[in-house]
Each structure stands twice: as structure tokens, then as C-alpha cells.
Amino acid sequence: MHIRRLLGGAACLMILTACSTTPVAPPAPPPKPSLADLMGKAAAVDTAGQKEAAMTIWKQAATEYPADKTPWTRMAQTKYDAGQYGDAIVNAQEILVRDPNDQLANSIIAISGLRLSTRALADLSRQNNLSGSLRTESQDLAKLLRESLGEQVLVPPVREKPAAAPTRATPPASSRKGAKKVAEPKADPFDALK
């Protein structure tokens, strides 16, 4: 009887051990959402005015589909539209990694860079710190930009609008005696760089 108990206990132990070593398959991960689904979801959220939520979804799409430039394009355009030019440049550079000939990415980088540069030059000019090598380098860059655009002047002066026909018989201001000509404001913000 004592041996039967030992054999019975050993048999139970072997059965329990066999049950515990049976491999259990982990639950299957949820299916990966398609790029079109992610982009559609982000577009809906963006249209609803939730820009940060849309950015999160575009970042997820960029992670899930690293070779595709579409999420980066939406992020770059959104940052540009928000006036966050530094972030727009970073995202546009990601587009160029995936497509070196992308015109939108190059445009975002060029215009964002110019806007940041203009802002910095205006701040320096206002602080009277635009001198020496910085001034020379700024002038050289402005010259290069004018040559690249094929323009002698980066920002053309504002043309005077043709005067509307006078409703009264009043002579123009320039023909009145003693009338002073009012100086037009300068329209060229790069005038100091020429």
C-alpha cells in the first residue's frame, strides 16, 4: 500500500509536469494598419483641428513605413504652415532622404531657411549687431541669392497704383504750390545688404 501511494504520487507529478511544459502560443499581435488607413485617420484628425494628434499619427506611419515619404511630407507641410520653420526643415530633409528630387521638400527647406535667416538678420539689425564678417557674409549670401534667382533686386519695389480719376476738380498734390513730395517707404528689406 505504501508503494502504491508512492507510485500514484509519482504518476500525478509526471502528469502535472507534462501539462506545465506544453508550449502556449502567445497571442497574435494586432494586424499592422495600412499606410492608407493611417494617413486617412491623420487627415481626419487634422481636418478636425487636432494638429498634434495628427502629427502623432504621421509619426507612427513614418515608423511603420520607413521607406515612404508621405508621412514626412504631411509633417513638413504642417510645420511650415504653423510657422515652425526649423521643424519643417528637419521633416523636409527626411523627405529628401527618401526622394532626393522632391520639389516640395526643396521648396520648404529654401523658403523656411530664408524666413529664419530674414528673422535673424532683422533681429541683428535691430540690435545693431550686423557688422564685420557677419555683415560681409550676409551681403555675399544676398548676392548669391540674387544671382540664383536671376534678379538684381530680391524684393521689387512697390509700384504706385494708378490714380483714380478725381471726382472733384482738385489739382494733383504734385502740382499744388508748396506741396512736398512724401518719401515712399523702402520696400527692399535687403537694401542694407547691397
Side-chain angles (χ1 to χ4, degrees):
M1 185 124 155
H2 189 55
I3 292 181
R4 276 190 208 173
R5 282 186 194 173
L6 283 175
L7 287 177
C12 283
L13 185 60
M14 287 173 48
I15 290 172
L16 289 174
T17 305
C19 289
S20 68
T21 59
T22 304
V24 177
K32 180 178 171 181
S34 71
L35 180 62
D37 289 342
L38 288 171
M39 296 306 291
K41 183 178 176 183
V45 171
D46 184 39
T47 302
Q50 300 173 352
K51 301 292 184 191
E52 288 305 315
M55 288 297 289
T56 301
I57 297 170
W58 287 321
K59 287 177 185 175
Q60 177 188 357
T63 302
E64 296 283 335
Y65 298 92
D68 199 297
K69 70 178 184 177
T70 309
W72 294 106
T73 301
R74 293 299 303 140
M75 288 188 282
Q77 187 67 54
T78 299
K79 291 295 185 177
Y80 176 81
D81 292 342
Q84 298 171 349
Y85 302 120
D87 292 336
I89 290 171
V90 169
N91 291 326
Q93 287 173 328
E94 288 292 336
I95 298 168
L96 293 178
V97 167
R98 289 149 183 85
D99 180 5
N101 298 319
D102 190 280
Q103 282 189 310
L104 177 65
N106 282 313
S107 296
I108 288 174
I109 290 170
I111 295 170
S112 295
L114 286 172
R115 290 190 178 196
L116 288 173
S117 297
T118 302
R119 187 181 303 159
L121 285 171
D123 288 345
L124 286 170
S125 180
R126 189 181 74 246
Q127 298 166 5
N128 292 325
N129 288 333
L130 190 59
S131 59
S133 65
L134 182 60
R135 181 179 181 89
T136 303
E137 186 174 351
S138 297
Q139 288 172 332
D140 291 342
L141 289 172
K143 180 181 176 187
L144 177 65
L145 185 58
R146 284 192 303 270
E147 289 171 358
S148 297
L149 295 174
E151 300 287 333
Q152 291 300 315
V153 178
L154 289 177
V155 180
V158 178
R159 294 184 195 180
E160 288 185 30
K161 294 179 183 176
T167 55
R168 295 185 272 160
T170 307
S174 60
S175 65
R176 288 187 219 145
K177 289 186 179 181
K180 295 182 181 178
K181 186 174 182 179
V182 178
E184 291 286 322
K186 290 187 179 180
D188 187 0
F190 293 98
D191 191 41
L193 299 179
K194 292 181 183 176

